[in-house]
């Protein structure tokens, strides 16, 4: 039987109860918070400098394998750098790229989507045709094209990923806004004399945020994957900066001789992206009234 939530509790508490009912999302949130704390406290938690090379300990296996050393819990890479330290510092780069690229695409996407919804004849057609052209290319391919023009690097990688994900936020905002414009509260605001900008950002936008938050959460994980893919191709963050995709790219030549240099960063990317996706599912269930457990 479905569990019915009380109607007299606050929306915030109702959201927390709905989200915590999803055990997978709850466990994923704990893991993601752990990753975030590692990134924030990298200077304290990392046992070594991420770019320091220990030439006498190159390709040392993890501590649980024969020949491992307790000073390098996850082993070392082909240059003798501590893998654990590079993973911890790499979390900063990957999470920063994911968060910044989402913000750089979400804010313009919401604005363009609202403009397309409120001015369907003048701006809507133009905006949506541009978004259709951008959607004709996969986001990763579009990011590669942008980086080809701008050049590789942390900032350019973030911009490229943001451009590739802009159409999804624009289309989602427009669809949500069009559904809200015809409702009575918007008509009442028009009759009360609210300006078009107040209608867009104060009246309609807050009621479109639930699907946008869920999409942004899932887009966060996609951005981390794209950053890792670009780093793997050598188009993202450049050496010696520790970044998960760049670590995979540098280690691919040693996959048979020293599989841990590929396996450990790959598992880190996998678990981080999986945790964010599970969190997105939990947010969707908690924020979408049609999917709530209560009636």
């Amino acid at each position: 039987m479905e569990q019915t939530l009380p109607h007299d509790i606050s929306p915030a508490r109702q959201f927390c109860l709905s989200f915590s009912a999803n055990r997978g999302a709850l466990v994923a949130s704990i893991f993601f918070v752990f990753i975030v704390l590692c990134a924030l406290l990298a200077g304290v938690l990392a046992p070594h400098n991420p770019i320091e090379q220990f030439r006498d300990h190159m390709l040392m296996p993890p501590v649980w394998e024969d020949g491992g050393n307790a000073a390098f819990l996850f082993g070392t890479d082909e240059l003798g750098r501590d893998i654990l330290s590079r993973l911890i510092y790499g979390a900063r780069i990957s999470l920063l790229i994911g968060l910044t690229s989402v913000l750089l695409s979400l804010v313009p996407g919401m604005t363009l989507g609202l403009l397309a919804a409120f001015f369907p004849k003048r701006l809507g057609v133009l905006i949506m045709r541009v978004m259709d052209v951008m959607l004709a290319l996969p986001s990763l391919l579009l990011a590669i094209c942008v980086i080809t023009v701008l050049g590789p690097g942390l900032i350019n990688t973030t911009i490229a990923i943001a451009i590739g994900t802009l159409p999804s936020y624009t289309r989602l905002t427009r669809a949500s806004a069009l559904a809200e414009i015809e409702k009575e509260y918007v008509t009442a605001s028009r009759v009360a004399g609210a300006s078009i900008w107040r209608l867009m950002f104060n009246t309609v936008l807050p009621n479109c945020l639930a699907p946008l938050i869920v999409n942004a959460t899932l887009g966060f994980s996609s951005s981390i994957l794209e950053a890792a893919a670009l780093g793997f191709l050598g188009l993202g963050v450049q050496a010696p900066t520790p970044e998960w995709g760049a670590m995979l790219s540098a280690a691919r030549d040693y996959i048979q001789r020293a599989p841990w240099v590929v396996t450990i960063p790959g598992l880190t990317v996998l678990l981080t992206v999986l945790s964010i996706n599970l969190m997105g599912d939990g947010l969707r269930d908690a924020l979408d009234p049609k999917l709530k457990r209560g009636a």
Side-chain angles (χ1 to χ4, degrees):
M1 295 180 61
E2 293 184 345
Q3 180 182 359
T4 302
L5 296 175
H7 294 282
D8 56 346
I9 62 176
S10 65
R13 180 170 174 76
Q14 189 173 6
F15 167 80
C16 292
L17 290 174
S18 299
F19 185 81
S20 60
N22 189 326
R23 298 295 178 85
L26 191 60
V27 173
S29 300
I30 295 173
F31 179 80
F32 182 71
V33 169
F34 170 73
I35 294 294
V36 172
L37 289 177
C38 288
L40 294 176
L41 302 176
V44 178
L45 297 177
H48 303 284
N49 187 314
I51 62 175
E52 183 178 1
Q53 299 179 10
F54 299 90
R55 292 291 185 173
D56 295 333
H57 302 283
M58 292 189 297
L59 293 178
M60 176 171 287
V63 68
W64 57 83
E65 292 191 4
D66 294 337
N69 190 322
F72 308 100
L73 293 180
F74 286 176
T76 59
D77 62 10
E78 72 282 357
L79 296 178
R81 297 170 297 190
D82 181 48
I83 292 179
L84 176 59
S85 300
R86 291 182 63 78
L87 286 176
I88 294 175
Y89 276 92
R92 282 184 173 182
I93 304 297
S94 296
L95 295 180
L96 177 63
I97 292 175
L99 178 61
T100 307
S101 61
V102 165
L103 292 177
L104 287 178
S105 56
L106 176 62
V107 175
M110 289 191 302
T111 304
L112 292 174
L114 289 173
L115 290 173
F118 277 84
F119 303 99
K121 294 183 179 179
R122 285 177 287 180
L123 291 177
V125 175
L126 175 62
I127 291 174
M128 297 315 297
R129 294 299 78 77
V130 172
M131 295 300 113
D132 289 340
V133 171
M134 295 176 66
L135 282 173
L137 292 174
S139 58
L140 181 58
L141 182 57
L142 181 59
I144 292 175
C145 295
V146 174
I147 288 182
T148 302
V149 176
L150 299 180
L154 175 60
I155 297 177
N156 292 342
T157 297
T158 305
I159 294 174
I161 295 174
I163 293 175
T165 55
L166 177 63
S168 62
Y169 296 108
T170 302
R171 293 173 66 89
L172 180 59
T173 303
R174 175 180 175 272
S176 301
L178 287 175
E180 297 293 327
I181 286 176
E182 303 300 327
K183 294 186 178 179
E184 294 181 356
Y185 74 92
V186 178
T187 303
S189 297
R190 289 183 188 273
V191 173
S195 65
I196 190 68
W197 303 108
R198 183 176 180 84
L199 285 173
M200 289 170 59
F201 294 101
N202 287 39
T203 305
V204 173
L205 181 58
N207 293 284
C208 301
L209 287 179
L212 286 171
I213 291 174
V214 175
N215 195 57
T217 303
L218 299 176
F220 186 33
S221 65
S222 299
S223 298
I224 292 177
L225 274 179
E226 288 191 15
L230 291 171
F232 183 80
L233 295 174
L235 299 174
V237 179
Q238 300 298 295
T241 304
E243 192 270 329
W244 293 342
M247 292 175 64
L248 289 171
S249 177
R252 58 186 172 184
D253 293 334
Y254 305 91
I255 189 170
Q256 293 183 340
R257 177 183 173 189
W260 60 87
V261 296
V262 175
T263 304
I264 295 177
L267 284 175
T268 303
V269 175
L270 170 65
L271 293 177
T272 302
V273 171
L274 178 61
S275 67
I276 296 174
N277 287 339
L278 290 176
M279 286 172 54
D281 288 341
L283 287 174
R284 180 199 62 195
D285 295 345
L287 292 174
D288 192 338
K290 297 178 182 179
L291 296 175
K292 284 185 179 178
R293 296 177 181 275

